[in-house]
């Protein structure tokens, strides 16, 4: 009495998929996540903080 798989039934082979991977949209193809900051409420204080955070060091 064994609890393993039946030796008479081989494991199913993985199916081959011949779809074109370039037809599918990736996460890089969308604008979500680009330039968005979590918790940005759109207030002028948040805009000033973002401006100061992103200002290049040679503009100080």
């Amino acid at each position: 009495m064994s609890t393993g798989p039946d030796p008479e039934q081989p494991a199913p082979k993985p199916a081959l998929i011949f779809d074109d991977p370039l037809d599918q949209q990736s996460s890089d193809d969308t604008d979500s996540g680009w330039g968005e900051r979590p918790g940005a409420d759109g207030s002028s204080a948040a805009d000033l903080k973002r401006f100061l955070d992103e200002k290049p060091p040679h503009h100080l």
Side-chain angles (χ1 to χ4, degrees):
M1 183 163 93
S2 69
T3 59
D6 292 338
E8 298 166 3
Q9 294 180 346
K13 294 182 180 179
L16 295 176
I17 301 172
F18 292 103
D19 293 339
D20 186 4
L22 299 178
D23 285 341
Q24 301 170 0
Q25 188 177 33
S26 70
S27 61
D28 290 343
D29 293 335
T30 63
D31 289 335
S32 68
W34 290 95
E36 298 173 2
R37 289 181 171 243
D41 56 3
S43 69
S44 61
D47 290 340
L48 178 62
K49 180 175 180 349
R50 180 178 177 182
F51 172 75
L52 293 174
D53 287 345
E54 294 180 357
K55 187 168 34 167
H58 61 274
H59 284 271
L60 290 177

